[in-house]
Amino acid sequence: MAKRRTSATAIPSDALDPADEEVAPLYLALLETRHPTRDSLRSQGFSSQQLDRLLPVLEHRRMIQPVDGSTWSVVPPDVAMPAFAAQLEARARMVRTTAQAMSRVYLRSRAADRTDATSGVVLLESLVDVAEALHQVTTTAQEWVLSSRVDSPLSRYLLEAPRPISTTPFLNSRGEPLDVRLDIDPALLPEPDVLEIMQARVDAGDVIRLTSGLPFTGAVNDEGLAMIDLGDDGGAPVGILLNRAAGGGRVRAVLEFAWQLGTPWLPATTPASDSDHLEPRDRSILRLMAGGVSDAAIARQLGISSRTVERRVRVLLDRLNATTRFQAGVLAARQGLI
């Protein structure tokens, strides 16, 4: 009795790239058959139309190899599947690069509609406008971007966005990596997933510092384009986009000054120098403490008790011969511990 197979016509798909739910049953049937032929596959419930459409897909994915017009040899799954995965990863990289180029075209067209040509100022009237302005700053940069993050609507929006949005490396119009500096107010650190995202940004090549009292969430690039998230107090606008002539240089001056005041942030597992012999947990506590993070926030971030944090802070202060947390940060930086 022929095995019943799911009909391809029941699953809407692109004929050139059918869904895996269509291809997988055929591949499994090929694996189960010692010498698969067109007739043997038809006897298992596959129609001629399905075979005409799906067998070339499996050949393209290099999961089977044709022997003649009606017979195939099957590539072992432990060889075929990793090779297919590599193809998908290459396609994903190409899509990400293409998406950034298309975004630049889209954002330039949006900016052209909204920009006051005489003032070089764009008033941003919604959170979506603010997010698009940030994206415009990053996608029009040629060499570098400097960003700041405080507890603002845009920062919370980015924290809740799908992970690829906040973890994908930034590229310029030539497809080259940008030098990205990200300054974060320690007040954001207690938020869920912040450290995970910071780790991903470091892995993507960003340099991160912690600076208490940052004035706003914003960004500026080497072209002089800058944006500021003004927050939402019930009025409009909620943000502003500026070119160099309209004040982008002033935004850069503010962010550069704040950057110089910041404390470098590295993952807890990364020694700051050859003289750093701290345990990973103490290293993380010291870096967060030097960045102005409270004991309670450190405890939440590291998943330990406040009492443990207080005890380790006292130990670190003694080790550094410091009397205040600020002094401990300064001494730790001088000794290459953070």
Side-chain angles (χ1 to χ4, degrees):
M1 180 181 296
K3 298 179 183 178
R4 297 191 59 173
R5 300 285 180 177
T6 302
S7 171
T9 58
I11 305 175
S13 66
D14 186 333
L16 297 178
D17 191 10
D20 288 337
E21 289 82 355
E22 291 184 279
V23 179
L26 179 57
Y27 185 53
L28 288 173
L30 288 158
L31 291 173
E32 293 169 353
T33 307
R34 183 177 294 274
H35 300 293
T37 64
R38 192 176 186 88
D39 289 341
S40 68
L41 293 171
R42 290 186 62 186
S43 70
Q44 296 183 61
F46 293 98
S47 67
S48 296
Q49 292 80 5
Q50 284 179 291
L51 297 178
D52 289 341
R53 190 162 61 91
L54 300 180
L55 285 170
V57 173
L58 289 173
E59 290 181 20
H60 178 71
R61 294 182 180 181
R62 299 177 184 175
M63 293 180 174
I64 60 174
Q65 295 178 339
V67 176
D68 54 42
S70 60
T71 307
W72 293 267
S73 64
V74 183
V75 178
D78 58 342
V79 175
M81 299 307 290
F84 180 52
Q87 292 180 36
L88 294 179
E89 290 168 1
R91 183 188 299 182
R93 286 193 297 271
M94 181 188 69
V95 169
R96 285 194 293 267
T97 301
T98 304
Q100 291 194 1
M102 296 176 71
S103 293
R104 282 191 287 272
V105 174
Y106 168 74
L107 289 169
R108 286 193 189 103
S109 66
R110 289 291 300 271
D113 292 339
R114 298 181 306 186
T115 303
D116 182 339
T118 61
S119 67
V121 175
V122 180
L123 299 180
L124 309 172
E125 299 180 354
S126 70
L127 181 57
V128 172
D129 286 344
V130 175
E132 287 183 351
L134 174 62
H135 193 48
Q136 185 171 347
V137 171
T138 58
T139 55
T140 57
Q142 295 302 307
E143 302 293 339
W144 57 263
V145 174
L146 174 58
S147 298
S148 63
R149 298 283 188 278
V150 302
D151 189 356
S152 69
L154 177 60
S155 295
R156 292 188 174 275
Y157 171 82
L158 294 174
L159 287 174
E160 296 169 2
R163 279 295 172 268
I165 293 179
S166 55
T167 59
T168 301
F170 295 114
L171 307 176
N172 62 19
S173 59
R174 301 182 298 276
E176 301 165 342
L178 291 170
D179 292 328
V180 179
R181 291 177 290 161
L182 178 59
D183 208 353
I184 298 177
D185 192 309
L188 272 177
L189 295 182
E191 295 299 320
D193 302 326
V194 168
L195 289 182
E196 176 188 340
I197 293 174
M198 290 168 66
Q199 173 69 68
R201 292 303 331 156
V202 169
D203 292 342
D206 294 7
V207 179
I208 296 179
R209 289 189 178 183
L210 301 177
T211 303
S212 297
L214 285 172
F216 51 75
T217 290
V220 64
N221 68 18
D222 56 312
E223 298 294 302
L225 189 65
M227 60 77 53
I228 299 175
D229 178 11
L230 298 176
D232 186 1
D233 58 1
V238 298
I240 188 168
L241 181 66
L242 307 164
N243 66 16
R244 190 187 303 273
R250 293 184 177 89
V251 175
R252 176 184 177 181
V254 171
L255 295 185
E256 290 283 7
F257 180 74
W259 179 260
Q260 296 303 318
L261 299 177
T263 300
W265 182 87
L266 294 172
T269 55
T270 304
S273 68
D274 293 339
S275 61
D276 179 0
H277 302 299
L278 292 173
E279 294 294 326
R281 186 179 67 178
D282 280 352
R283 186 182 303 122
S284 184
I285 291 174
L286 181 57
R287 285 171 175 164
L288 294 172
M289 179 180 72
V293 184
S294 67
D295 289 352
I298 293 174
R300 286 194 296 272
Q301 279 295 340
L302 302 183
I304 57 181
S305 69
S306 295
R307 186 182 298 274
T308 298
V309 174
E310 292 171 3
R311 185 169 60 251
R312 298 313 302 168
V313 166
R314 287 195 297 270
V315 170
L316 290 168
L317 290 174
D318 290 342
R319 171 175 176 172
L320 294 165
N321 195 26
T323 57
T324 67
R325 297 161 72 95
F326 176 77
Q327 186 182 30
V330 173
L331 293 172
R334 288 177 179 173
Q335 296 178 30
L337 300 178
I338 59 175

